[in-house]
Structure formats: C-alpha cells, structure tokens
Amino acid sequence: EFERAQPQGLRATTKGAPDPDFAVSGDYIIGTDITGVGATLGDYENNISEREYTATSPFLNCKYYNNVYLYFDRWFNMDTYDSATIDLNVEKKDNWIQYWKSSGTSINNEWQKQNYNINSIVNRKDSIQVRFTIGPTNSFWNYSGWNIDNLVIVGNYLSKDVGVTEW
C-alpha cells in the first residue's frame, strides 16, 4: 500500500483530511495509496493486521556518526483506534525497535516538518534501517495515513579512530 508517486489529493471518506496534492519539493512523495488504486481512493484500509503496511529504507551506515537525527516532511492522518509507527532496525539483524507510535486522532491538512533524535538507537551502528508502518486498523474510519517527503538522516561525522585504543 505504500507507494512512491506524484501526490493527487485523493480522499475516500469524509473523515480526516485528503492526501496532499503537491510535494514539498520535487514531484514525488512516499505515502499510503497515493494513486487511489483499489477501493480506498487514497486511504488505508479497515481491519489490516499489525504493521501490515510498511515503507522501509535501504540499509544506511552510521558507524562514523553520532548525534543522529531523522528529518522529514509529513502530511499525516490517522484515526484514534488505528496505529502507525516509526521503527528502527540495527545491525542487519531484523532487530526492529519501535521508536514512535501514533496516539489519538491526527488530522493534518498541510505539510509539517518532523525531527527525531534517533541517536540512542543508531549511534555508531554500521547498518540501520528506518521503517514507517500502518496497522492494526479497526473496522470503522480510514484516513489518508502517511505521506512523506524530504526524508534525511544527519549526524556529526567522527574520525574513524574515535573510541579505538591502540597498544
């Protein structure tokens, strides 16, 4: 259900806000059912299982970085009883750690800048991933879910020999 596409401002229900009809920069975003393929016309579906919808980054090397932050622009709409998360995986071990979870109803009808200090999990790790998820959802309202643009991970570069003691 996550896709990379040009935003089209679709909306299936009268609840929440529609998807964006423009990207913050460039032409493409990553989001939930942006093109409206299927019955939901831009919204996530009812009754999906835990973390059923995922958008996962490639592996990134943070071995020589500390003070690491995740930045992105977000247009986000979720029902109170549905869940969305940001998970982090370290060391290529399928070791997913829930970093953030939605709470309450979120209705955004504009792009909002997000930043998260993820240093405590990814500091000096040579292989990390970021995953955006949706699920579980209930059988009532469905909203437009995640819409993400300009995702970057930044940190302070450290010398390769920081923390290494030679005898």
Side-chain angles (χ1 to χ4, degrees):
E1 280 295 308
F2 272 94
E3 59 187 330
R4 180 182 177 269
Q6 294 180 336
Q8 300 177 17
L10 298 178
R11 170 189 218 148
T13 67
T14 57
K15 292 289 185 179
D19 280 333
D21 59 0
F22 64 96
V24 176
S25 62
D27 295 324
Y28 293 87
I29 64 172
I30 293 174
T32 313
D33 198 21
I34 300 167
T35 60
V37 175
T40 58
L41 298 173
D43 292 347
Y44 57 83
E45 296 188 24
N46 292 330
N47 299 315
I48 63 173
S49 61
E50 186 169 342
R51 292 176 169 83
E52 185 171 336
Y53 294 175
T54 64
T56 306
S57 75
F59 284 99
L60 305 166
N61 188 339
C62 291
K63 185 172 184 170
Y64 300 112
Y65 293 87
N66 73 359
N67 201 23
V68 181
Y69 280 80
L70 170 67
Y71 291 96
F72 58 95
D73 292 302
R74 175 182 92 169
W75 187 299
F76 182 73
N77 291 284
M78 290 293 294
D79 181 44
T80 297
Y81 303 104
D82 300 335
S83 292
T85 66
I86 299 172
D87 300 328
L88 300 169
N89 180 36
V90 296
E91 307 287 334
K92 293 187 180 181
K93 294 181 182 172
D94 201 24
N95 183 27
W96 291 102
I97 299 164
Q98 180 179 294
Y99 180 79
W100 175 89
K101 184 175 182 177
S102 61
S103 62
T105 300
S106 286
I107 300 175
N108 300 137
N109 201 20
E110 64 184 359
W111 287 105
Q112 297 179 341
K113 295 197 176 300
Q114 302 295 303
N115 68 72
Y116 298 96
N117 181 338
I118 59 174
N119 194 64
S120 63
I121 298 171
V122 306
N123 180 43
R124 306 287 311 235
K125 303 292 189 222
D126 64 2
S127 182
I128 69 125
Q129 286 179 290
V130 177
R131 175 174 73 182
F132 296 88
T133 76
I134 293 183
T137 63
N138 64 19
S139 60
F140 301 112
W141 302 109
N142 43 3
Y143 288 52
S144 64
W146 284 110
N147 292 281
I148 302 162
D149 201 1
N150 298 324
L151 184 131
V152 295
I153 295 177
V154 299
N156 295 330
Y157 180 76
L158 302 171
S159 170
K160 291 182 181 183
D161 60 2
V162 168
V164 175
T165 303
E166 292 189 36
W167 298 92

